Each structure stands twice: as structure tokens, then as C-alpha cells.
Amino acid sequence: MKLAFDRDVEDFRAEFAAFLDANLPAEDDAVERPQSSSDVPEWSRRWQRLLFDTGWLLPGNPPEYGGRNASLPQQLAHLEELSKRRIYHSFNPQGLGIVAASLLTFGTEEQKRRWAVPILRAEITASLGMSEPGAGSDLAGLRTRAVLDGDHFVVNGQKVWTSGAHDADVLLTFVRTDPDVPKHKGISVLLVPTDLPGVVRRPFGSITAPDDLDFNEVFFTDVRVPRANLVGDLNGGWKVAHGSLGHERMMLWLTFAEWMENVVRDAPAREEWYATLLMDLQALRLLGRRQLAGDRDPAELSVLKLLGSEALQSASLHALEAQGAEALLHPAVTGPYNHMTLETFTASWFERYARTFGATIAGGTSEIQRNIIAERILGLPR
């Protein structure tokens, strides 16, 4: 059996490929290389804006939100073409794939106009404020408080692991607004502009990239946030959280599939484990297409996230071991450097493997995913 798209989808792909050939930023224009996923140079803002204006940013969206009402198979072809060419369509992936997507699902028309569209057009950047020092995988345990005072919320607390917060214009922030109900029922979501008094952001590196200051601690001290910035219902943040995590896990699936595609291209094909890598990649593709094809239980995204992150880690480890000592060497870059190319794929195999540990944590740890699958899909006791 050969899996293939219909002619209309391949025509759509060809149109997008022609657009890329004609419009990719020139090397001379892309001299400013981003130091992290949150550092957004002006040329990349222009690139994202062009994608938005031409309907190629998120083709499944309506035109007013950067798309062209593309079908699901067409959206997949669009994503595959980006992956094949190793191209970013945004250097603010959290803003594009999680925050703006959540606002389009749960936000008011005013919030979509005021926040979602500028994020999609790269006029502002956004970050996701979920995890806290004592509430990582257990999101319902968050303690950042927001007390309603007239037409404002007063926010106090701390977030951590907040990717891109130091460059973000706004944070989609999960806060506790009712401490007297079961913990998952007292959560709300606020759009917190980072220039408000009382917001402090402290970036820090990671063990795999100490100079890449992408992670942040964010502190809120008596921050007054307009009530109009409430996303969804008061104390209805758990529903928004599920939607946001669904967007994040779907975004992570696309990332895992992209990384796996490149492991397939770069890894030595003569090794026995290579066949397992190909089967895992095909399973990941098919499960992802199944999720995109309809409205399914968000718990099924846990299967996708678990498979993707752990298959990627296993494949990267095998590739690392196959390379031996050479796996520690950074590959030489020859010829003109394409600044649209994902930096991940110019790293040494050791760096690539080390980064997969973050993949098993972001969006919910593998342990949490197994609990969700056991309880909500298999019906096993807690």
C-alpha cells in the first residue's frame, strides 16, 4: 500500500513550493541569526508577516487569521514542505502555535483583534505562563493568585520555565482566582502585558545550551491586569488549559516528526535499528494525521506526545552510539549558511540527543502522559 495525497493536494503543495522558491529571505537580508527561539530579528518578522498576508502562515485558518481555509490534507502538505526544507515559519513558536491558537479558540472578538492578529503578524510576541516551581506537571497545583479588584485583577506569584518570556510582549498566564474550590475549578487565564509595573523576567540557560537564554523565571508583584484581559470564563481556566496543552502537544508532534525526519536523513542507514526508526516515524505520521482529521478526545494527544518524544530520544541515542567519538564533533558548515535552516540540525549528535530529554518533559512529562493514557483511555484505576 502506498499512502499518497490527491491531485488537488499536490497542486496545493506545488503552489506553496513555488511561493517558497520565490520569496525565501535572501542571505544578505538574513544576516542577523536568532540566538534562541525567543530572539526574533526584524527580517524574520517580515518573513512571518509575508506568510500571514499571503495565507501561507497557517493555511487552515480563514484569511483574516493568516490562512486560506485549506483542507486538512492540504495543511499536512504545507507542514511537510516546511519540514522537508527545514524552514521556520515563525521564531515565536509558543506565540503562534499555542497562545494565538488558544485566543482564536477561547478569546473574545476584541482579544482576537487586539492580541491574536498582532501575534500572528509578528507585530508582537507572546509566551505561555503555566509552570511554577511547585506546579510543573501538576498544573492544577499552581499558586499564582489573581484577586479581582474592581475592573482589574491583582496578580502575585511566580512562573518558571517560561520559554521566550524575556522577549515577549504578553504572557498567557494561568492564575488561581478561587482558592476555596477544588483546585482545578479555581483557575482562570489572563493576558498579562510584560510592560506592566510589577512584572519581572529573569532569563536563564539550560545544561544543553547554557548561553541560550530562552527559559525564564517570571515574578508578579501586585500586577494590575484589566478584567478585559480575562480569557474564557472566570474560574474556567481548566478548559482553556486543556485546549492550550492540546495546541502545545500538537505543536510538539509537528516538531518531533520534523526532528525524526532529519534523523532519518542524517543517521547511518546500515544499522539494524534504522528499520525501527522508519516504522516509528510512519506511526507518528499516521497518528498525527488521525488527530488532525477530526475532533477527538484530547487524551489521545498524550499517545502522540509520548510516542513522538520517546521514539525521537531512542533514535537519537542509536545514532549517537553509531557515530562513536565523532558524535561529539560539531559538523562543519560549508558554503553559504541558510539562516532559515533549523539550528538543531547543525548540532553534534551529542547535542541533538541531549536536547531530547527536554522533549520528554515539555508539554507534560512521559510519566504524566502514561497516567493520562492509563486512566482516560484504558480506564485503569488511579
Side-chain angles (χ1 to χ4, degrees):
M1 179 177 68
K2 181 178 181 180
L3 297 173
F5 290 114
D6 293 337
R7 172 49 53 193
D8 70 305
V9 178
E10 292 304 331
D11 290 343
F12 184 88
R13 183 199 302 273
E15 183 183 355
F16 182 47
F19 168 85
L20 293 176
D21 290 339
N23 291 284
L24 276 179
E27 294 294 333
D28 290 344
D29 293 333
V31 293
E32 185 184 358
R33 180 174 175 75
Q35 297 303 308
S36 75
S37 61
S38 63
D39 184 19
V40 185
E42 183 54 36
W43 69 265
S44 68
R45 292 180 187 267
R46 293 194 300 270
W47 166 245
Q48 183 174 327
R49 201 164 301 137
L50 175 64
L51 290 170
F52 179 96
D53 291 341
T54 54
W56 289 119
L57 182 65
L58 297 169
N61 286 359
E64 61 268 30
Y65 298 127
R68 48 181 62 200
N69 294 314
S71 67
L72 286 169
Q74 288 172 333
Q75 293 174 56
L76 283 169
H78 170 266
L79 294 170
E80 288 179 357
E81 196 65 26
L82 288 173
S83 175
K84 182 175 71 175
R85 295 175 181 242
R86 301 181 178 183
I87 294 171
Y88 277 129
H89 59 325
S90 172
F91 281 109
N92 180 214
Q94 298 89 355
L96 185 71
I98 304 174
V99 179
S102 296
L103 289 175
L104 294 181
T105 302
F106 299 104
T108 65
E109 291 305 312
E110 170 62 17
Q111 288 170 347
K112 294 174 187 179
R113 182 196 65 78
R114 172 67 181 84
W115 301 105
V117 171
I119 292 168
L120 292 169
R121 298 195 75 247
E123 294 166 355
I124 62 174
T125 55
S127 183
L128 180 66
M130 274 191 170
S131 295
E132 298 184 4
S137 296
D138 178 23
L139 177 64
L142 66 85
R143 293 184 293 177
T144 295
R145 290 286 305 276
V147 178
L148 190 58
D149 179 22
D151 59 355
H152 284 74
F153 289 94
V154 180
V155 181
N156 285 277
Q158 178 188 358
K159 298 294 179 179
V160 74
W161 311 112
T162 315
S163 298
H166 63 292
D167 284 334
D169 298 295
V170 65
L171 306 176
L172 186 70
T173 309
F174 288 74
V175 295
R176 184 159 303 286
T177 44
D178 189 344
D180 299 323
V181 297
K183 59 184 182 179
H184 67 283
K185 292 185 177 180
I187 295 172
S188 299
V189 184
L190 297 175
L191 286 162
V192 182
T194 56
D195 60 357
L196 290 178
V199 177
V200 175
R201 297 163 286 169
R202 296 178 183 170
F204 59 92
S206 67
I207 193 170
T208 58
D211 297 326
D212 181 0
L213 303 181
D214 185 47
F215 290 136
N216 283 256
E217 293 178 294
V218 183
F219 299 89
F220 306 94
T221 304
D222 294 331
V223 180
R224 295 186 65 83
V225 180
R227 181 166 183 160
N229 288 20
L230 174 69
V231 179
D233 296 330
L234 182 65
N235 299 321
W238 195 244
K239 180 178 179 180
V240 181
H242 273 291
S244 296
L245 287 169
H247 290 307
E248 181 178 21
R249 288 168 186 161
M250 185 57 70
M251 184 182 76
L252 288 171
W253 163 66
L254 297 171
T255 301
F256 299 153
E258 194 170 79
W259 287 7
M260 292 271 289
E261 292 270 9
N262 286 281
V263 173
V264 166
R265 293 191 187 103
D266 299 341
R270 62 184 177 276
E271 303 291 339
E272 292 181 6
W273 54 267
Y274 192 78
T276 300
L277 168 59
L278 293 177
M279 289 186 288
D280 285 344
L281 176 57
Q282 185 68 356
L284 189 61
R285 286 172 177 159
L286 294 175
L287 282 171
R289 291 181 182 186
R290 174 183 169 89
Q291 282 295 324
L292 285 171
D295 296 327
R296 298 185 179 275
D297 186 342
E300 292 191 21
L301 284 169
S302 293
V303 178
L304 196 59
K305 199 272 180 178
L306 180 66
L307 169 65
S309 60
E310 299 210 339
L312 173 63
Q313 187 169 85
S314 176
S316 299
L317 175 60
H318 283 302
L320 170 71
E321 293 174 336
Q323 294 292 320
E326 291 185 1
L328 299 174
L329 301 177
H330 194 287
V333 178
T334 59
Y337 189 81
N338 181 355
H339 292 264
M340 295 302 295
T341 300
L342 299 179
E343 184 178 9
T344 301
F345 306 120
T346 62
S348 70
W349 276 108
F350 173 75
E351 291 174 284
R352 291 162 72 165
Y353 172 59
R355 291 175 186 175
T356 66
F357 286 88
T360 63
I361 298 172
T365 65
S366 290
E367 290 79 7
I368 290 294
Q369 306 308 323
R370 287 189 172 91
N371 283 343
I372 293 172
I373 292 166
E375 295 170 18
R376 295 179 55 189
I377 297 179
L378 301 179
L380 299 177
R382 291 179 62 85

